[in-house]
Amino acid sequence: PDHIINGVIGIAYDITQQVKAAENIRFERERAHQYLNVAEVMILAFDRHGTITLVNRRGCEFLGLSHDQIIGKNWFDQFLPPTEWLKTREFFHEFFQGWYGESSRCKGEILTNDGSPRIISWFMHAIRSPSGKCIGILASGKDITRERQLEAEKTAAVGQIERNIAKFA
């Protein structure tokens, strides 16, 4: 009888440890999502095919879709204008081959759900397997469309001032 009681106690202990471990994993996952959701930049994760595996609250707001409408979609097909397809696919391929090391910065145009083009400044970081192989990309993106518009307006204004000065000279 003692060995049966000890066996039952051992099973109960194993289950308790598994439940605690599962609770810890859920807690850490929730905490990580909270961190992502307070960021004021779009955060996305992609697999090597460009499938979106993670998106934060700001990414959903920016793209104009719910979390469930974004996860599992192909980034190239769903959110890029055709003019960006080749360049972005090449970048992904090169990134996964290790050409850019652990991280890289780039700029590119995307399309929101309503078809609005936006220029995004990206910071891309490699997601690695335990063996060190790049298995994904974690990207944070900042909308710089307005900054680019202001730069263009400034350049045009400076050009007009220079032309005006040349007329009066």
Side-chain angles (χ1 to χ4, degrees), residues 10-30:
I11 291 170
Y13 177 77
D14 287 345
I15 293 171
T16 302
Q17 292 300 335
Q18 288 176 346
V19 169
K20 284 182 180 178
E23 287 174 2
N24 286 340
I25 290 169
R26 270 193 302 277
F27 173 77
E28 291 301 326
R29 184 177 292 138
E30 281 302 312

Side-chain angles (χ1 to χ4, degrees), residues 7 62 129:
F62 184 80
S129 70

Side-chain angles (χ1 to χ4, degrees), residues 60-162:
C60 293
E61 291 170 359
F62 184 80
L63 295 171
L65 294 168
S66 72
H67 181 268
D68 292 341
Q69 292 172 307
I70 296 171
I71 296 296
K73 296 290 191 273
N74 184 275
W75 180 250
F76 308 114
D77 300 336
Q78 187 84 20
F79 299 104
L80 296 182
T83 56
E84 295 285 314
W85 288 349
L86 182 61
K87 177 179 77 166
T88 306
R89 286 179 194 271
E90 284 176 1
F91 173 83
F92 263 64
H93 176 74
E94 292 167 355
F95 195 93
F96 278 98
Q97 296 302 313
W99 292 18
Y100 301 101
E102 287 301 303
S103 59
S104 180
R105 293 187 182 277
C106 62
K107 292 179 180 75
E109 187 176 319
I110 70 165
L111 297 174
T112 62
N113 188 48
D114 67 6
S116 302
R118 308 302 292 174
I119 300 170
I120 306 297
S121 175
W122 293 103
F123 178 73
M124 314 288 244
H125 189 78
I127 301 170
R128 300 213 175 269
S129 70
S131 68
K133 180 180 178 184
C134 184
I135 57 171
I137 296 174
L138 182 63
S140 64
K142 178 183 176 199
D143 183 3
I144 59 168
T145 307
R146 184 71 182 134
E147 293 170 26
R148 286 287 176 98
Q149 290 169 340
L150 291 173
E151 285 175 21
E153 290 171 12
K154 176 184 166 188
T155 301
V158 167
Q160 184 61 49
I161 290 168
E162 289 172 349

